Amino acid sequence: MKASRRRGGPALGFSGLFGRFQHPAQVVVGVFALTIGIGTLLLKTPMATSAPGSVDWLTALFTATSAVCVTGLVVVDTASTWSAFGEVVIALLFQAGGLGIMTLGTLFALLISGRLGLRARLLAQAERKALGAPNLRRVVRNVVLFTLTVEALAAIVLTVRFSAAYDHDFGRALYLGVFHSMSAFNNAGFALWPDSLTRFATDPWICLTIAMTVLTGALGFPVVFELWRQWRHPRRWSVLTRITVGVTVVLLVAGTLIFLITEWNNPRTMGPMSDSDKLLASFFLTVMRTGGFNTVDLSQLNPSSWLLSDLLMFIGGGSAGTAGGIKVTVLGLMVFMVWTEMRGYADVNIGPRQIPATAQRQAIAITLMGVSLVAVSAYLLVVISPHMLDQVLFEAISAFGTVGMSLGITAALPPAGHLLLIVLMFVGRTGPLTLGSALALRERDRRYELPKEYLIVG
Amino acid sequence: MKASRRRGGPALGFSGLFGRFQHPAQVVVGVFALTIGIGTLLLKTPMATSAPGSVDWLTALFTATSAVCVTGLVVVDTASTWSAFGEVVIALLFQAGGLGIMTLGTLFALLISGRLGLRARLLAQAERKALGAPNLRRVVRNVVLFTLTVEALAAIVLTVRFSAAYDHDFGRALYLGVFHSMSAFNNAGFALWPDSLTRFATDPWICLTIAMTVLTGALGFPVVFELWRQWRHPRRWSVLTRITVGVTVVLLVAGTLIFLITEWNNPRTMGPMSDSDKLLASFFLTVMRTGGFNTVDLSQLNPSSWLLSDLLMFIGGGSAGTAGGIKVTVLGLMVFMVWTEMRGYADVNIGPRQIPATAQRQAIAITLMGVSLVAVSAYLLVVISPHMLDQVLFEAISAFGTVGMSLGITAALPPAGHLLLIVLMFVGRTGPLTLGSALALRERDRRYELPKEYLIVG
Ligand SMILES: [K+]
Ligand SMILES: [K+]
């Protein structure tokens, strides 16, 4: 009776994930696991710590995972625990993680488009134009160029400010500038002060530079690339760019306003600040939904602000960028799906494009995976720790969304809690991408209707 | 460029919800709103209260909504606030609500099947057998007969027990027996003791009778009807019955075991009980995920037990039954959808049937609606009340899932919180049903593949 046909083409699904090595999903998981392994070994050496002796294995594994997955959650204070060598290792790990996620995300986007392109040539000339075969070398070159350019610009501003306005000599200012510009662009959230960037809360030079760098990394390479080339022609933007920019702007404006209103009179956070500093702090807090730095004590926010952060962190940034979460594309697509359903249309159209069922299924799969993972993790953390739901939910979503913001309870969790966060960071980083690509790279029957765009949603 | 075709057939979608009056979704919303209105007026009369004067409008509206939506959340103690007349009004309201939801749910199920049947006759003989045109009078008669039979049986057991083992004369025992059997079958959760059924925590006669009655109502009329007729032939069961029974059994066993383990040593709940009483209390607590009675002080459970209850309450009971939540059919279907996706098949098959895309979209729409509603409500409750997330989340899910279990904070919420819970109860009761039917009753293109079953998921 089970006459359901197996989809044609190579078996690139979950079943293929373990049976064949050449699947892109395996490449992602393998590369990340390997890099974390190397990082753990390096951070475990006595050379990596400032005090004599070395950290325990769990601390090394947690820190390496947090760095490679560009999260920024820590179980030991970064600046006081690690030596200069240790800090450089951490910086290289999050640089590798950021480059990896951008390169692989961009490649998958092109692979999906290219695959479509091959079939489309047989169907319609119109579809061929926007597409090109993926070119690994060109993609890596462009991603590296983009990364170094943005990081260099941010590092220059930060270095000048650190050396001019604070008590740092030029060498130290340069070190701090480069480290934090890398950390910001990769949305890594690692900072060399125990209270993150709290001391710079009212310094717009530092805050806005960090925020803009985080935002650039979070938008994702394909979107920034398209914005760069088509800045003056929004009508030519792809659906990916439209959704990413649209949802990002809505989240930034709404988040800033709500934080501003709810924290305005909070004496332990923004209450004592001037009005313009309040605006700066609220904007910074909103951007850090992916970045992971903080300029106010997060544990002193109103509980409703934790919930708003939970939502923002869960959504995360753009596809093929350094931010985590389920991605703004997934949220935007689901909003359009609901809107389409409400109006009674059969096809989900965004602008002049129809979104194929594949992308819709990916969006739902990624969201369900995220909600289930976070729910189960929060439950387990409530069981094994003395903390309240508000608090463990914040840390779990911060780990899943590879955000790195913390209410300060991560370090105090029992080892089982640290292992859980390690798993969450790893799955949160690799899951949406591999789930998105694994589902999207399956061959599907398709009829020719409107020209389609294979929107990536991971 | 917007060439998306509008689906054929009458416009029965959300847009039709306000444009035409004959849509089933409007009938549901209208009937429930009207009944709540009448109930509010009756409960506002001075005759309805035991003390002189009458309750305020918000209390009357809240109580009427809670009764008609068979929830059981209260802002005033039922037994001490209301007169005998008031109690009878409340009982009639939840009886009307229960009958309404079962009748309308069953009719929609038949409508969806019948609609399919009409088209199926042109396509395949095989599909016609299981279907029949909806017959309003027969459905109402069967539902009423079913309701009265189960309630009468439960009332007899309860009355005998109340009069034999407790200090009640026969008249009072009969009154209590009838009220609580009605409340149990309709999953209404209203009890005539301020601490619900806590005094009967170790009385298996009362607890098991209430639990079985709640379960029968929660399974839903179509499933109980099929189980009654096909008890010995599970292979002939419809997909609806298979999913409902399967998921219900899994939830009951898993819920009972986890509550048993986590509350075993809790001195404020089950700690002092004997082992068999612990088992009884854990089972009762699990069943009450839809029923709303309690035999332990819910506010004294471990926070992890609140979270488990949150999950169970959100899932709820069976379709076309008196329980609320997103329904076990929706959960079961989504599990199968994920399983199908993981194996790389295109069609979702359960047993010998293929589940159409319509049902899958409904399941997702209902779940997303539920998650969004609960999340927004919990956020608002955190803002307007001094309570922790754990607590407001519990009350919000209890209202959305029309469960009625409470950590004791509902009564103390500000008026805005009461209005929010009223909206949650109303949408939680009518939303999944109307959303399910509105989407399902749309005409869809369909190709003939395996014989399909139009599984209802609301
Ligand atoms: K981060
Ligand atoms: K109830």
Side-chain angles (χ1 to χ4, degrees), chain A residues 321-404:
Chain A
T322 55
I326 60 167
K327 305 291 182 311
V328 291
T329 27
V330 168
L331 178 75
L333 180 52
M334 289 204 303
V335 169
F336 271 98
M337 284 163 64
V338 171
W339 176 233
T340 302
E341 194 72 38
M342 283 172 67
R343 288 185 309 165
Y345 289 103
D347 303 324
V348 176
N349 295 337
I350 302 179
R353 296 282 161 155
Q354 185 196 119
I355 307 302
T358 330
Q360 301 177 34
R361 291 170 76 141
Q362 285 165 48
I364 288 158
I366 289 167
T367 308
L368 287 180
M369 181 203 75
V371 170
S372 313
L373 256 179
V374 166
V376 170
S377 307
Y379 177 79
L380 292 174
L381 287 173
V382 163
V383 171
I384 65 172
S385 85
H387 303 291
M388 304 298 296
L389 178 63
D390 316 54
Q391 300 170 300
V392 299
L393 191 64
F394 191 95
E395 308 290 306
I397 294 182
S398 179
F400 168 76
T402 67
V403 177

Side-chain angles (χ1 to χ4, degrees), chain B residues 70-72 187-189 290-292 402-404:
Chain B
V70 294
T71 306
N187 278 234
T290 66
T402 68
V403 177

Side-chain angles (χ1 to χ4, degrees), chain A residues 70-72 187-189 290-292 402-404:
Chain A
V70 293
T71 306
N187 278 232
T290 66
T402 67
V403 177

Side-chain angles (χ1 to χ4, degrees), chain B residues 339-363:
Chain B
W339 177 232
T340 302
E341 194 72 38
M342 285 172 66
R343 289 185 310 166
Y345 288 102
D347 303 324
V348 177
N349 294 336
I350 302 180
R353 296 282 160 154
Q354 185 196 121
I355 307 301
T358 330
Q360 301 178 34
R361 291 170 77 143
Q362 285 166 46

